[in-house]
Amino acid sequence: MKYLVWISRIIVGVLFIISGLIKLNDPMGFSFKLEEYFSPGVLDLPFLTPLALGISIFVVIVEVILGVLLLIGFKPKFTVWSLLLMIVFFTFLTFYSAYFNKVTDCGCFGDAIKLTPWESFTKDVILLVFILILFFGRKYIKPLFNPKTNWIVGGVALLACILFANHVLAHLPSVDFRPYKIGANIQEGMSVPDNAPQPIYEYAWRFKVNGEERIYVTEGDYPTVDGEFVDVETTEVQAGYEPPIHDFTIEQEGQDYASELLEEDKLVMVIAYDLRKTGGLTTGATNEEIEAAQKEIYPELKKTVDRAKQKGYKVIGMSASSSDMANKLTDTYDLDFEFYFTDETTLKTIVRSNPAILMLSKGTIQQKVHYNDFDELTF
């Protein structure tokens, strides 16, 4: 049992630290995932949506700290009970998502490692087994250091997590795992290789033969049956290749200008997925709060945009907000560019800042900055 506890201690501790640090690198992305869980179609907890970012930061820091405490063997009873309660909750959540097909990616490892709902559930079940070993063998968890050193290690880990979270929120994730990272080409990310796997479908054809209903299954061919056709049910049995970038459009009045704009040698994109959430505001922000946030950010954005235009850049805005709201913003701050419509989820994926600026050359992302770092752009 002692050796099982040691093995479990290392596996669980390391996995919790890795998983927590990946999400701590991008707490905004994890908060978007929590908003999915809080939505009416999933857990129906809309009152938690404005708190999603705060909850995400708290959860991922706790995840890292519990991993550290487990590895150094500090406060084993508290640590193991906390791990058990956390994994039981996550196991329920991933099972619920998988069984009812509610959230297709749990976000357990952020954008670094994508897991299907059933893979996430399986991972949590395996972790639950290891944590149960720790729970029943917790008397074998001995501290590596004396109490004073353990307190110092735990305190330093907590402080480092807080400082790191503050840094990535005030700027951008230190490591970008998304397909829109600097150096990526959007057109290439949307392309499908010639030899890419195609989806495979199964067709269940229902016929009435001699007064009885019968089902004939094929992979697409219409079956030769001496009977009356009733209906057909199609099931995808194997997914085909999906390019890393999809659902990317730059629309105006129902027309997609993406292919044209991505050929520009010098293109600046102002990304603002929701103009009502400028500067990190949440759902329910008052008009006064929105105006105050916009007054703080958009005059600086205008200076940056004007510099870009002087250097020969074409500038466009991309938002999922209404055209009326976008037009009001451009008029208020005399912004010399037009807004185009792009799906909100796509914009959130492109950059974790609202607003943000991207610089591109023929579809390749050269620079991307948070609204706190507009002055770092080099034209």
Side-chain angles (χ1 to χ4, degrees):
M1 187 65 179
K2 181 168 64 174
Y3 296 111
L4 280 175
V5 168
W6 257 110
I7 293 171
S8 301
R9 180 174 169 180
I10 294 171
I11 291 174
V12 173
V14 170
L15 277 177
F16 264 69
I17 291 172
I18 291 174
S19 172
L21 287 177
I22 289 174
K23 293 194 287 288
L24 191 60
N25 173 68
D26 185 13
M28 188 69 71
F30 188 50
S31 74
F32 294 152
K33 187 60 59 178
L34 290 180
E35 289 178 5
E36 283 188 58
Y37 280 110
F38 298 152
S39 65
V42 186
L43 297 178
D44 195 16
L45 300 170
F47 66 94
L48 290 177
T49 300
L51 307 174
L53 181 58
I55 294 172
S56 75
I57 296 170
F58 175 77
V59 168
V60 296
I61 289 180
V62 167
E63 196 172 351
V64 174
I65 297 304
L66 288 178
V68 171
L69 296 184
L70 181 62
L71 288 180
I72 66 175
F74 190 43
K75 300 288 184 182
K77 186 176 179 180
F78 165 79
T79 301
V80 173
W81 267 106
S82 300
L83 288 169
L84 182 61
L85 292 174
M86 183 175 279
I87 198 62
V88 166
F89 174 72
F90 283 145
T91 302
F92 158 75
L93 205 59
T94 52
F95 172 77
Y96 179 84
S97 298
Y99 187 80
F100 294 101
N101 196 29
K102 292 292 186 178
V103 180
T104 56
D105 174 22
C106 72
C108 305
F109 293 98
D111 291 290
I113 302 174
K114 293 289 188 179
L115 298 177
T116 66
W118 283 114
E119 287 172 344
S120 300
F121 172 68
T122 303
K123 179 264 299 177
D124 284 343
V125 169
I126 294 171
L127 270 176
L128 177 59
V129 171
F130 284 121
I131 292 174
L132 286 174
I133 292 173
L134 294 171
F135 181 80
F136 291 110
R138 56 187 180 275
K139 67 180 181 180
Y140 296 107
I141 302 177
K142 304 299 181 183
L144 296 182
F145 313 109
N146 60 56
K148 182 178 180 181
T149 303
N150 284 331
W151 275 108
I152 292 174
V153 172
V156 169
L158 177 60
L159 179 61
C161 286
I162 293 172
L163 292 176
F164 185 55
N166 181 69
H167 173 76
V168 296
L169 286 173
H171 303 282
L172 288 176
S174 296
V175 182
D176 194 345
F177 294 105
R178 285 156 291 141
Y180 297 94
K181 59 182 176 291
I182 293 175
N185 183 276
I186 295 179
Q187 296 101 312
E188 291 178 3
M190 290 192 291
S191 63
V192 178
D194 294 335
N195 58 348
Q198 299 298 313
I200 297 176
Y201 297 94
E202 189 176 81
Y203 298 81
W205 306 85
R206 191 188 306 273
F207 286 85
K208 186 172 288 186
V209 181
N210 297 327
E212 295 182 0
E213 285 195 355
R214 295 183 182 179
I215 295 177
Y216 301 84
V217 178
T218 73
E219 290 189 355
D221 297 333
Y222 188 86
T224 303
V225 179
D226 186 13
E228 179 186 351
F229 170 75
V230 178
D231 61 25
V232 61
E233 183 177 330
T234 306
T235 305
E236 186 179 60
V237 295
Q238 180 178 308
Y241 174 82
E242 183 176 65
I245 295 179
H246 48 276
D247 299 330
F248 179 89
T249 60
I250 307 176
E251 299 179 22
Q252 209 172 61
E253 297 180 355
Q255 185 172 346
D256 185 8
Y257 294 91
S259 58
E260 173 185 335
L261 290 168
L262 290 176
E263 288 299 322
E264 292 281 345
D265 282 324
K266 293 183 173 183
L267 178 66
V268 163
M269 291 180 175
V270 176
I271 308 290
Y273 74 86
D274 188 337
L275 299 177
R276 294 187 60 84
K277 296 181 180 180
T278 295
L281 294 176
T282 59
T283 303
T286 64
N287 290 332
E288 291 76 14
E289 290 172 329
I290 295 169
E291 290 176 5
Q294 291 178 346
K295 283 180 181 179
E296 183 178 349
I297 294 172
Y298 279 96
E300 292 301 316
L301 185 144
K302 174 177 169 51
K303 294 178 185 177
T304 304
V305 166
D306 289 346
R307 281 197 298 128
K309 294 184 78 69
Q310 289 171 5
K311 297 291 185 178
Y313 281 83
K314 180 177 181 63
V315 181
I316 63 170
M318 294 168 62
S319 179
S321 296
S322 68
S323 56
D324 289 341
M325 191 177 297
N327 291 336
K328 180 181 177 182
L329 183 76
T330 54
D331 290 342
T332 302
Y333 295 99
D334 192 26
L335 302 177
D336 190 15
F337 62 86
E338 292 183 325
F339 270 96
Y340 292 76
F341 175 84
T342 301
D343 176 72
E344 180 173 326
T345 300
T346 299
L347 294 176
K348 287 179 177 179
T349 304
I350 292 173
V351 64
R352 306 299 200 203
S353 174
N354 187 46
I357 290 180
L358 270 68
M359 287 176 52
L360 297 91
S361 176
K362 289 193 175 295
T364 298
I365 300 172
Q366 307 289 329
Q367 298 181 64
K368 59 192 297 189
V369 295
H370 190 279
Y371 58 79
N372 287 327
D373 301 319
F374 288 155
D375 58 342
E376 293 185 4
L377 284 170
T378 55
F379 297 107

